[in-house]
């Protein structure tokens, strides 16, 4: 499977969007996190799965904060 590469491309797109101050970076990063989670699950990489869920949680928090500040 190429989920690791798909996750990489999606997350790089999120970085590019963030660099251009585009609020879409947050949902893109969340989608990238889900892709990476599905990459790690069959490999039984518990630490990577937990880390990815933490990143997704931080992305949700950042998205909400950015939405409130830039209304």
């Amino acid at each position: 499977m190429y989920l690791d590469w798909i996750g990489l491309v999606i997350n790089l797109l999120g970085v590019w969007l963030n660099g251009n101050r585009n609020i879409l970076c947050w949902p893109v990063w969340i989608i990238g996190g889900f892709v990476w989670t599905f990459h790690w699950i069959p490999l039984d990489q518990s630490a990577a799965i937990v880390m990815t869920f933490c990143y997704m949680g931080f992305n949700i928090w950042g998205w909400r904060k950015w939405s409130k500040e830039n209304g």
Side-chain angles (χ1 to χ4, degrees):
M1 274 250 191
Y2 295 104
L3 287 177
D4 54 343
W5 288 101
I6 294 169
L8 172 71
V9 170
I10 292 170
N11 281 287
L12 288 175
L13 174 62
V15 171
W16 182 81
L17 289 168
N18 184 275
N20 288 293
R21 298 178 185 239
N22 188 322
I23 198 166
L24 291 176
C25 67
W26 302 105
V28 168
W29 277 329
I30 293 166
I31 292 166
F34 276 112
V35 171
W36 267 343
T37 299
F38 287 106
H39 167 72
W40 294 121
I41 288 173
L43 301 174
D44 197 27
Q45 296 293 317
S46 300
I49 294 167
V50 170
M51 179 184 67
T52 304
F53 273 106
C54 290
Y55 285 155
M56 288 189 292
F58 288 133
N59 286 320
I60 292 168
W61 173 78
W63 188 7
R64 292 185 68 209
K65 183 173 169 114
W66 194 346
S67 294
K68 288 179 185 176
E69 291 174 358
N70 297 305

